[in-house]
Amino acid sequence: MGIAESTPDELPSDAEEQLRSGEQQLELSGRRLRRLPSAVCALSRLQKLYVSGTGLRELPEEIEELRELRILALDFNKLERLPDGLCRLPRLTRLYLGGNRLLALPADFAQLQSLRCLWIEGNFLRRFPRPLLRLVALQSLQMGDNRLRALPAELPRMTGLRGLWLYGNRFEEFPPALLRMGRLHILDLDRNRLGGFPDLHPLRALRVFSYDHNPVTGPPRVADTVFLVGEGAVERMAERDEPMPRPPPRRPARAFEDEEEEDLLIGGGGSRALGAPPG
């Protein structure tokens, strides 16, 4: 049986039943949609919208009418750009954009001042999007599997950031700006081209550092409270006077919106646990 395809401007047949539950949530994931039905943008009270893996190629500017939206999942589609209207969602806290074809973010993206969790992994970003530097409340930033080679010196402006995933990029040197991110809990630099590390003791809040699959000969110098993942990590942690810390999850699975962000970062007991993605 093929994936059901709705007409371009209509809601799918089961949408009314979904909305009747009172949760103001609409699940369209897995359907065949080249563009978002215009009727969706008329649901002004909608709070959660899931449109993952539909083949979506564009979003209408009218998406800005969803002023109550908190959660927006657009991952695993074919989006090459985002409309400015998406940047005018004042209550949006979680945005999932992974697995698309994005080269950049709109300049107005910085207007998303309520955003706490952004997943934009698996796109074609060659430069760190500068509008992100103004999102001081952002706590979780997933940018793995892009094409980044450097990070801006202004990165420490993102004072709310606690988890930063940069695996699968093209870093050849450890970005100096990271040494001034003293509030980071999780830093993932797997699968880059790093040949060495500076002393990471300035990252006083760090709990997990992953550097696997880089051309390094050993682990960096870190506090004894940091769990390491990479070449020589087990041996280094075994030398510590303190007991080896319990391994926290390194990669978050997409979390339910009712979990606290701290749970996202350290593996608290939410409905979707953190962990490495399959495959």
Side-chain angles (χ1 to χ4, degrees):
M1 180 180 295
I3 298 174
E5 183 169 9
S6 303
T7 56
D9 296 317
E10 295 179 354
L11 289 175
S13 57
D14 64 339
E16 288 188 14
E17 182 178 348
Q18 290 189 49
L19 297 170
R20 201 176 296 129
S21 68
E23 292 188 15
Q24 295 302 322
Q25 172 177 318
L26 186 59
E27 175 65 80
L28 300 177
S29 298
R31 303 168 191 264
R32 189 175 302 153
L33 298 171
R34 291 201 171 191
R35 62 188 178 94
L36 194 67
S38 58
V40 172
C41 299
L43 301 173
S44 58
R45 296 174 59 192
L46 197 66
Q47 296 185 11
K48 310 165 193 174
L49 177 58
Y50 302 95
V51 197
S52 303
T54 65
L56 197 68
R57 294 178 179 272
E58 60 179 322
L59 292 170
E61 288 289 347
E62 290 78 12
I63 197 170
E64 68 178 290
E65 300 300 325
L66 300 177
R67 306 284 291 176
E68 298 296 323
L69 204 63
R70 269 72 166 173
I71 316 296
L72 179 56
L74 296 166
D75 40 345
F76 306 110
N77 284 300
K78 299 179 180 180
L79 297 172
E80 297 183 359
R81 59 174 297 275
L82 301 176
D84 290 339
L86 185 143
C87 306
R88 293 189 280 272
L89 298 174
R91 292 176 174 81
L92 194 66
T93 62
R94 296 176 186 265
L95 178 57
Y96 301 105
L97 292 168
N100 279 285
R101 302 172 178 177
L102 299 173
L103 296 170
L105 297 178
D108 287 344
F109 201 86
Q111 294 182 25
L112 294 173
Q113 288 295 305
S114 295
L115 201 63
R116 296 169 62 223
C117 175
L118 174 62
W119 285 36
I120 195 167
E121 79 285 5
N123 280 279
F124 300 143
L125 299 175
R126 294 182 179 274
R127 294 181 176 82
F128 188 92
R130 297 195 66 82
L132 298 184
L133 298 173
R134 295 169 57 190
L135 298 181
V136 294
L138 193 69
Q139 296 185 0
S140 179
L141 179 55
Q142 164 65 283
M143 296 189 74
D145 289 326
N146 276 283
R147 302 178 181 185
L148 301 177
R149 296 180 182 272
L151 297 177
E154 301 93 332
L155 189 70
R157 292 180 186 174
M158 302 180 72
T159 54
L161 207 58
R162 298 295 181 267
L164 180 57
W165 288 267
L166 295 168
Y167 59 85
N169 278 282
R170 300 180 180 180
F171 296 105
E172 296 182 358
E173 297 181 355
F174 188 89
L178 288 176
L179 290 175
R180 294 183 287 124
M181 300 294 290
R183 299 180 182 182
L184 271 184
H185 292 179
I186 296 179
L187 178 58
D188 189 337
L189 283 165
D190 278 7
R191 293 190 287 112
N192 278 280
R193 304 171 183 176
L194 299 170
F197 302 103
D199 187 335
L200 300 186
H201 279 88
L203 301 181
R204 298 181 181 276
L206 196 63
R207 302 182 190 183
V208 185
F209 179 58
S210 183
Y211 59 94
D212 214 5
H213 304 104
N214 280 283
V216 294
T217 57
R221 289 175 289 172
V222 294
D224 286 350
T225 53
V226 178
F227 189 87
L228 294 169
V229 181
E231 178 72 27
V234 173
E235 294 80 3
R236 171 65 60 84
M237 291 188 291
E239 296 172 356
R240 295 172 176 172
D241 294 332
E242 299 294 326
M244 189 179 300
R246 180 176 65 86
R250 293 161 44 211
R251 297 245 171 97
R254 198 172 78 194
F256 280 145
E257 62 276 4
D258 56 356
E259 292 176 344
E260 292 296 326
E261 196 68 29
E262 185 71 7
D263 288 341
L264 269 177
L265 297 177
I266 64 174
S271 300
R272 294 186 189 179
L274 306 186

